[in-house]
Amino acid sequence: MASSNEASTSNTQVAREMHANQPVFLTTRTPYPLPSQKFVIPTSWKRFHLSQLVNKAVGLEKAVPFDFLIKGGLNAGATGEMLAPGMTLGDWCAANGVGEEETVEIEYVESVMPPQKVGEIEADDWVSGVRNVDGYVMTASYDGRLRLFDHSKNSVMDVPVHSAPITSVSLISSSTSSNDEDKIYTVATSSHDLSACITQLTIPSSPTSSKGKSSKILASLHLHTQPISGVASNSSGTKLLTSSWDSLIGVWDTTIPSSDEVPLPDEESRDKKKRRKIENASATNGRGAETKRKAPIGVLKSHVGRVSKAAFLSGGEGGEEGKAVSAGYDSTVRIWDLEYGVCERTISASEKPFLDLTPAQSGQTLLAASTDRTVTQYDIRATSQTQSLQATVATFTHASTPSCVCVPPSSFATSSPSSTTTTVNSHQFITGAYDGIVRVWDMRNPKGAMAAFKTGEGNADSTNTGVKRTKKVLCVDWRKGLLTVGGEGGLEVWKVGEEA
């Protein structure tokens, strides 16, 4: 009898859901806004039905798929919760304690289409840094070389820069020569050889140009006594930050001095013999007499362990870059005042060594990847010292250690109504992990990735056993709908989102 009553109650609930309606208010930050009004929709509707409603109401000639972020309720949190595939609006309301008479606010965002692999390029060594620029893919590798490929996978340049593994690459500037015949790229690289370098690459704009390709190491940067983990340029290309295992962060300008600012190591000093050996080896990697030795304009000291990454903080669109952020193996995230060279705030975590970080486009939060298999979003606006729990906005859990995290450039993440193609949402970001999986996330939905794909498929183990194994992802770069992935498996290019 009890089971019969339970079945009757369940059938009644299903019937009620089929005929029930829910008042909703639809909002968006996309170029497809609806009139400000309340809609009453069936609680049996799923994501597909809501997407159809928006497309028809806006009158889009070409269908645009949307995801829906529902705000309010007991479990949605401050930022809301994405409506999961297969879940009805009624299911969500029941799970979050929302009654039939309550108006639900739903924000719709453009969906991330399934990533599509564009191509792959085999590499002689691990790829530790990537950057998309003007139809080229720039890579930095553990063999100390900086390479440039076109999108047809042709090698354009192959430049020896360092005598030890390169850890990262950053574009300082991109320009055209005065006669419009050449493209000139100035880039910064960091390495385990205890130095960073500023290198200029010159490429003829036309294949018929009489000039050939050329490269020149303009300057080497000297401060650190242990491997340099990363280098980052500000948006104007006037300053650099280097982070190192020696717990220091170097602040540099990008002007090339007329003479050396740092003398060569003293040959008579026993403690400096190793560094002298590295310098001599570096000279064979393209560093000649014209390569100037630069000194930093500032040094940031506060970390008590390896510094994994440092980056400039723009403070949002149009903001000044007078601040920087960093993360390290000492389980801290630090916010710096560059004008005074002091750490103005520290976010302390417990046993959470950080491997990478990137500021969000708003300048109000940052994303930090940790060895505890999470990427954490921290609020960096407060002025006092803060424990991790107090500053945590959201935590994004991974199945394996996330090694890198990136957000798209703000120019790509901002679309206009006049645009004929869609761009990614400013809340989206990318992570790469040691399990070879790249994930696309929305900051407002930490419960699961919006899309994911595995890299290194089809690549056999280097032991020639023919057995496939996981290839670690070490770096990612996402610009204009192209996601470039580097790591143990070489280089792969994927289409994620639409080109702006």
Side-chain angles (χ1 to χ4, degrees), residues 24-37 39 50-51 53-55 57-58 60 64-71 82 104-111 413 415-417 422-428 442 444:
V24 301
F25 189 79
L26 296 173
T27 64
T28 190
R29 303 180 198 182
T30 69
Y32 315 109
L34 284 169
S36 180
Q37 67 181 76
F39 293 84
L50 290 168
S51 189
L53 169 65
V54 174
N55 275 269
V58 177
L60 299 178
V64 176
F66 294 100
D67 282 308
F68 297 87
L69 182 73
I70 308 179
K71 301 179 181 181
M82 286 289 183
V104 178
E105 181 183 348
I106 302 178
E107 180 181 353
Y108 56 94
V109 299
E110 295 173 55
S111 298
S415 52
S416 62
T422 59
T423 59
V424 298
N425 190 285
S426 60
H427 293 281
Q428 293 171 6
D442 189 297
R444 299 162 298 182

Side-chain angles (χ1 to χ4, degrees), residues 268-316:
E268 296 180 0
S269 173
R270 178 175 301 180
D271 294 338
K272 296 182 179 180
K273 283 185 178 181
K274 182 178 181 180
R275 295 189 65 183
R276 176 66 176 175
K277 182 178 180 180
I278 291 175
E279 295 292 342
N280 291 335
S282 297
T284 65
N285 276 348
R287 301 190 202 179
E290 296 182 353
T291 301
K292 305 304 179 184
R293 295 170 57 87
K294 278 184 66 65
I297 61 174
V299 180
L300 306 179
K301 303 177 181 179
S302 186
H303 282 282
V304 293
R306 293 183 182 181
V307 184
S308 303
K309 183 73 174 286
F312 289 93
L313 186 64
S314 66

Side-chain angles (χ1 to χ4, degrees), residues 176-198:
T176 305
S177 61
S178 57
N179 55 9
D180 291 334
E181 288 188 1
D182 302 321
K183 290 289 293 183
I184 301 172
Y185 302 105
T186 305
V187 299
T189 51
S190 59
S191 172
H192 284 185
D193 67 6
L194 315 185
S195 74
C197 283
I198 298 176

